[in-house]
């Protein structure tokens, strides 16, 4: 049984406190779109990707590749300067023993930008794309250690052990929460990224030629209390669109922060103990958006899980996924 996949409540709190001592935060209440596209891994394709849930800027399409392509988006993030797009494999649950699956209701998606092990030196470059995790993972050893992937019962005093797939084996009395960390080193010229490590032997813990940037972390809370009012005991009745387990957990990001706001973010990570809002050319953090989001390419792709699986079965390429292992990544 994968004992490392679920933290005790105390350990989870300690890890969070250690990791988030200097940060800014962007919250998103709901995914604005669920669709079988992945502009980083399968650009332009509508039959190769599993289902993903998208948060943030609605200008994203299967072919999005540049920050400028998100400039005219409507975002459901609570910072008007953040036109980034964030996505993860759709988290699904079943009430009929696996005959059908529906997306798990979301409580909140949060993107934290932290200090990390050493101070940030540079802002996120325009056109930066990152992936954390391993989409083809099937066992605990497949999860990149640097991504610090966790699936927990948020704040639960006596959390259950993980089931055979790594999910909580009994009903959570709060939210099901997952955490995921992204690389925090970048080569500004090539946009290659890597995780920090003392072994690199550099003052900023980054590989030679790379600078330290704020570290992005996903914290996603799902609420199953209404969806599964009777709870569960044993193998949890849910899965990810990438597989039946937590080991394929991954997240994707295309930077859409305005250059001014991205630069302002660097300063927010210099304080070791306080949250700091990031303001910019488009307004102040927390300002409500008046625009209405919509799918930028409604004629292509599907939001239906069963249909997405059927389409993937017809594809002519093998399943592929990106890994965030501590090596140079150019995406």
């Amino acid at each position: 049984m994968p004992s490392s996949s679920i933290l005790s409540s105390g350990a989870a709190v300690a890890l969070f406190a250690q990791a988030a001592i200097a940060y800014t935060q962007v919250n998103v209440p709901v995914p604005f779109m669920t669709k079988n596209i992945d502009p980083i891994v399968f650009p332009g394709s509508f039959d190769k990707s599993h289902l993903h849930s998208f948060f943030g800027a609605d200008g994203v399409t299967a072919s999005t590749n540049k920050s400028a392509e998100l400039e005219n988006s409507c975002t459901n993030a609570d910072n008007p300067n953040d036109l980034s797009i964030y996505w993860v494999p759709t988290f699904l649950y079943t009430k009929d023993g696996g005959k059908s699956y529906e997306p798990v209701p979301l409580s909140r998606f949060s993107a934290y930008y932290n200090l990390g092990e050493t101070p940030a030196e540079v802002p996120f470059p325009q056109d930066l794309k990152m992936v954390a995790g391993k989409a083809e993972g099937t066992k605990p050893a497949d999860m990149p250690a640097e991504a610090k992937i966790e699936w927990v019962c948020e704040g639960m005093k006596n959390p259950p052990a993980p089931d055979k797939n790594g999910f909580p084996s009994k009903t959570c009395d709060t939210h099901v929460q997952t955490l995921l960390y992204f690389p925090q080193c970048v080569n500004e010229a090539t946009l290659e990224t890597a995780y920090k490590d003392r072994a690199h032997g550099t003052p900023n813990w980054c590989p030679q030629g790379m600078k330290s940037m704020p570290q992005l972390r996903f914290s996603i809370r799902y609420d199953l209390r209404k969806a599964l009012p009777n709870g569960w005991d044993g193998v949890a009745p849910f899965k990810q669109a990438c597989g039946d387990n937590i080991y394929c957990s991954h997240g994707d990001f295309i930077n859409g922060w305005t250059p001014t706001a991205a630069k302002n973010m660097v300063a927010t990570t210099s304080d070791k103990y306080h949250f700091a809002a990031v303001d910019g050319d488009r307004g102040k953090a927390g300002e409500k958006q008046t625009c209405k989001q919509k799918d930028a390419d409604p004629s292509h792709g599907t939001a239906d899980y069963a249909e997405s699986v059927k389409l993937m079965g017809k594809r002519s390429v093998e399943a592929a996924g990106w890994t965030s292992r501590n090596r140079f990544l150019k995406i």
Side-chain angles (χ1 to χ4, degrees):
M1 185 171 289
S3 59
S4 63
S5 61
I6 294 185
L7 292 176
S8 68
S9 176
V13 171
L15 176 61
F16 179 85
Q18 181 182 23
I21 55 176
Y23 69 99
T24 193
Q25 176 182 350
V26 175
N27 297 314
V28 180
V30 293
F32 77 86
M33 179 175 72
T34 301
K35 204 170 190 178
N36 65 330
I37 61 171
D38 191 320
I40 293 179
V41 180
F42 294 116
S45 173
F46 299 97
D47 63 358
K48 296 180 176 66
S49 173
H50 49 251
L51 209 61
H52 287 101
S53 297
F54 290 82
F55 308 87
D58 68 356
V60 65
T61 70
S63 301
T64 300
N65 187 49
K66 301 288 186 180
S67 298
E69 296 171 47
L70 301 171
E71 285 181 355
N72 296 318
S73 295
C74 175
T75 181
N76 61 346
D78 64 359
N79 190 318
N81 301 289
D82 183 12
L83 295 177
S84 303
I85 181 65
Y86 311 87
W87 67 97
V88 294
T90 301
F91 187 35
L92 304 154
Y93 75 100
T94 180
K95 294 193 291 186
D96 55 14
K99 295 179 181 178
S100 63
Y101 285 88
E102 295 293 333
V104 174
L106 185 79
S107 174
R108 188 178 75 192
F109 172 94
S110 297
Y112 289 88
Y113 293 87
N114 300 327
L115 170 66
E117 295 85 351
T118 64
E121 300 168 311
V122 297
F124 284 119
Q126 290 291 289
D127 303 331
L128 177 67
K129 299 187 288 289
M130 294 193 292
V131 179
K134 187 175 182 180
E136 69 271 27
T138 60
K139 57 186 183 299
D142 291 335
M143 294 193 298
E146 302 90 346
K148 302 177 185 177
I149 297 166
E150 300 288 349
W151 285 82
V152 303
C153 289
E154 182 193 17
M156 193 166 173
K157 187 174 182 180
N158 296 303
D163 68 11
K164 67 178 184 179
N165 296 317
F167 296 113
S169 60
K170 292 185 178 181
T171 307
C172 294
D173 58 16
T174 55
H175 302 120
V176 175
Q177 182 181 19
T178 183
L179 304 173
L180 177 68
Y181 290 72
F182 283 75
Q184 67 273 56
C185 298
V186 64
N187 182 309
E188 295 177 282
T190 66
L191 300 184
E192 291 174 315
T193 62
Y195 286 93
K196 292 180 181 178
D197 193 321
R198 284 183 182 271
H200 293 310
T202 57
N204 63 4
W205 297 18
C206 290
Q208 290 287 345
M210 289 194 177
K211 297 289 188 179
S212 171
M213 61 182 175
Q215 184 170 36
L216 170 61
R217 181 179 87 250
F218 286 1
S219 175
I220 312 174
R221 296 167 174 85
Y222 298 98
D223 194 345
L224 284 148
R225 288 172 289 189
K226 290 183 179 179
L228 296 173
N230 297 323
W232 66 93
D233 189 353
V235 177
F238 32 83
K239 64 191 296 183
Q240 297 186 87
C242 57
D244 294 337
N245 52 66
I246 71 168
Y247 314 123
C248 66
S249 298
H250 60 282
D252 301 65
F253 166 80
I254 298 178
N255 179 35
W257 284 93
T258 65
T260 299
K263 184 176 181 180
N264 291 343
M265 185 193 298
V266 174
T268 71
T269 65
S270 64
D271 190 304
K272 291 185 178 295
Y273 300 104
H274 298 96
F275 164 81
V278 173
D279 300 329
D281 300 330
R282 294 173 58 93
K284 294 184 177 297
E287 288 184 1
K288 292 184 178 180
Q289 307 299 292
T290 58
C291 56
K292 292 185 178 180
Q293 290 187 295
K294 60 183 180 181
D295 184 345
D297 186 16
S299 300
H300 298 95
T302 181
D304 182 79
Y305 172 65
E307 179 64 18
S308 71
V309 172
K310 186 184 301 183
L311 289 168
M312 289 176 67
K314 298 177 181 179
R315 65 189 183 181
S316 59
V317 300
E318 294 182 357
W322 290 91
T323 174
S324 63
R325 288 175 183 154
N326 199 2
R327 58 182 175 83
F328 291 8
L329 294 176
K330 184 178 181 181
I331 299 172

